[in-house]
Amino acid sequence: MKKIALYTIQSINYGNRLQNYATQEILKSMGYDVYTLRNNPKNSEIAVIIKLHPFMKLVKPILPLVWKIKVIIWGFMKIDKDNNYRLFNKKIKFSADYIGENGVSDDLGKYDVIIAGSDQIWNTEFEFVTENSFFPFEHPCKVSFSSSFGIDEIKDDKKIVECLKKFKALSVREEAGAKIIKKLTGRDAEVLIDPTLLLSEKKWRMISKKPKGHVDMPFILTYFLSPKCKEANEQLSRLAESGMNIYELFDEKNVVTRCVGPAEFIYLIDHASIILTDSFHACVFSFLFDKPFIVYNRNRGGNTMNSRLSTLLKKFKIERKYVMSELDNDIWEHDYTEGYEQLEIEKAKALNFLKSALEDGVKN
């Protein structure tokens, strides 16, 4: 079985964990053995401890065991969001190899293909995105799958340009990303959907998990990655008059929302009466699960509707769900028939891209 190494962001974030899982499952369904590369060397935390406390070298042989015991005890003592993330990560097959800001594994040649993506792995405004994120090493088959810059432009860095030119196949998640690659390299990159859209709602429900403490009653769900804007607060106040429960993700005082990991996130969107958000992946899953939703600007001044969100809404003909669109929109309406027809076209496009890129890479 041919081996694929997958490089993506790994953090406490619903979207990056879910797209990592989705990409893995799609590649597995195509017959590949898929490994997710770590962002840092395995047991890098232990290496840091030894560096800061040289005397710890004396007990270095037993440090991995001590670390495992620490994680197990911490898990029992702190059954919360972080623990649910760890449980979800068990669904992902991680390699001991890595690509990160601290370096790159020497043994990446054992993989037939190395895939970059998805998520904002090329957002140069993130501290952890370095030259290594663009694969400066030699490998016969480097593929970018629905990767994202997350911003509208980046500096013309010669090293990054040379790295991008060496990819066998390039695809991005939003139109702005395709323009960046065209400007920097002269190459055309396909614009593909986020990997989370490639799995059916049925498959997502199979791994969703009811949050601890949740009672089966109608509720409003909010998920904002920035402070709620004025329009969102006003809309939420009007909805609150219905008497429905309100779950606000990141509300650490709420017994339900403080424990939500990726699997619980899917469950809450699937069962919410309506979703208010400024999150790309909250919009994705609201669309997939046929839920009413409203999307707002990030509350950071100015028009902060980013390219990936505008690409998503435009592609699936749901721009009306953007509160600043000035289009007629009944907030409870969720007829996404046209969008679902387009989704089938986009799924075929993404799978054809992967099939072509991977087959060519394996042959060579």
Side-chain angles (χ1 to χ4, degrees):
M1 185 180 290
K2 299 297 183 180
K3 295 171 68 173
I4 290 179
L6 178 62
Y7 168 73
T8 190
I9 297 172
Q10 295 155 35
S11 65
I12 304 297
N13 176 279
Y14 303 127
N16 78 47
R17 296 297 77 230
L18 294 168
Q19 61 79 22
N20 189 175
Y21 173 79
T23 306
Q24 170 188 271
E25 295 305 294
I26 290 299
L27 293 170
K28 282 171 58 180
S29 72
M30 298 173 73
Y32 294 95
D33 190 11
V34 187
Y35 296 83
T36 293
L37 297 172
R38 297 177 184 275
N39 289 165
N40 285 296
K42 192 174 182 180
N43 294 328
S44 58
E45 299 95 339
I46 295 173
V48 170
I49 290 173
I50 293 173
K51 185 176 181 180
L52 293 176
H53 306 285
F55 68 89
M56 294 298 285
K57 289 181 180 180
L58 299 175
V59 292
K60 182 179 179 180
I62 65 169
L63 275 178
L65 176 61
V66 172
W67 193 263
K68 281 186 178 180
I69 293 172
K70 174 257 183 189
V71 169
I72 292 171
I73 294 174
W74 186 81
F76 278 116
M77 292 175 63
K78 193 176 181 183
I79 306 298
D80 64 356
K81 183 185 296 183
D82 291 347
N83 197 43
N84 282 331
Y85 269 90
R86 280 196 301 279
L87 291 174
F88 186 84
N89 275 337
K90 290 182 178 181
K91 302 179 188 298
I92 296 169
K93 188 176 181 179
F94 287 96
S95 167
D97 299 307
Y98 64 92
I99 295 176
E101 55 188 314
N102 297 321
V104 177
S105 289
D106 296 327
D107 198 22
L108 297 181
K110 65 186 175 185
Y111 300 101
D112 297 282
V113 182
I114 301 182
I115 293 181
S118 172
D119 216 346
Q120 298 181 60
I121 57 167
W122 290 340
N123 188 335
T124 53
E125 292 185 356
F126 292 162
E127 289 185 4
F128 55 82
V129 173
T130 66
E131 182 188 339
N132 291 335
S133 306
F134 294 86
F135 297 3
F137 50 85
E138 293 298 323
H139 190 279
C141 188
K142 296 185 282 189
V143 174
S144 161
F145 179 54
S146 199
S147 300
S148 174
F149 291 89
I151 48 181
D152 291 336
E153 59 182 26
I154 65 171
K155 293 180 180 179
D156 189 348
D157 185 304
K158 290 184 179 179
K159 291 183 179 180
I160 291 177
V161 171
E162 288 306 308
C163 288
L164 291 173
K165 285 181 177 179
K166 292 181 180 180
F167 273 77
K168 182 168 288 290
L170 285 165
S171 68
V172 291
R173 193 170 60 181
E174 58 267 342
E175 293 165 4
K179 291 178 181 177
I180 289 173
I181 288 177
K182 184 69 172 179
K183 180 180 178 181
L184 294 180
T185 70
R187 295 180 62 180
D188 292 319
E190 288 200 51
V191 179
L192 303 179
I193 55 176
D194 188 83
T196 52
L197 286 158
L198 292 173
L199 296 187
S200 68
E201 66 274 19
K202 181 179 180 181
K203 289 185 178 179
W204 283 120
R205 286 182 178 123
M206 288 173 64
I207 66 164
S208 71
K209 182 180 177 182
K210 184 177 180 178
K212 185 178 180 180
H214 171 64
V215 178
D216 293 330
M217 295 178 64
F219 65 93
I220 300 159
L221 180 67
T222 78
Y223 179 42
F224 287 90
L225 297 171
S226 65
K228 289 192 295 294
C229 61
K230 177 184 177 182
E231 293 83 1
N233 280 314
E234 290 174 348
Q235 183 65 73
L236 189 59
S237 295
R238 290 192 290 270
L239 289 170
E241 294 175 2
S242 66
M244 283 191 286
N245 286 336
I246 298 175
Y247 287 157
E248 299 195 61
L249 294 178
F250 296 140
D251 180 1
E252 296 297 325
K253 296 179 181 179
N254 186 295
V255 68
V256 175
T257 56
R258 73 185 181 199
C259 297
V260 174
E264 293 81 6
F265 174 77
I266 298 169
Y267 182 96
L268 288 179
I269 289 186
D270 190 20
H271 291 79
S273 297
I274 189 169
I275 299 97
L276 279 63
T277 189
D278 62 1
S279 156
F280 173 82
H281 282 103
C283 292
V284 164
F285 283 97
S286 297
F287 171 66
L288 275 178
F289 290 133
D290 193 20
K291 309 300 294 188
F293 72 98
I294 312 172
V295 58
Y296 297 86
N297 280 330
R298 295 276 170 91
N299 191 13
R300 292 173 184 160
N303 185 347
T304 54
M305 171 61 111
N306 60 43
S307 177
R308 59 185 180 147
L309 260 175
S310 58
T311 297
L312 176 77
L313 300 179
K314 180 181 178 182
K315 184 165 289 184
F316 298 114
K317 300 175 174 60
I318 49 177
E319 295 114 310
R320 63 189 181 279
K321 292 301 171 184
Y322 173 41
V323 74
M324 302 299 287
S325 69
E326 298 184 355
L327 298 173
D328 290 337
N329 177 47
D330 174 356
I331 64 170
W332 295 102
E333 176 270 325
H334 53 107
D335 179 3
Y336 306 141
T337 305
E338 286 187 281
Y340 294 143
E341 291 173 355
Q342 185 63 34
L343 178 58
E344 294 307 309
I345 295 172
E346 296 297 331
K347 281 183 178 181
K349 179 181 176 183
L351 294 175
N352 286 337
F353 170 86
L354 277 177
K355 183 179 179 181
S356 176
L358 298 180
E359 286 182 352
D360 288 348
V362 170
K363 287 177 184 176
N364 297 331

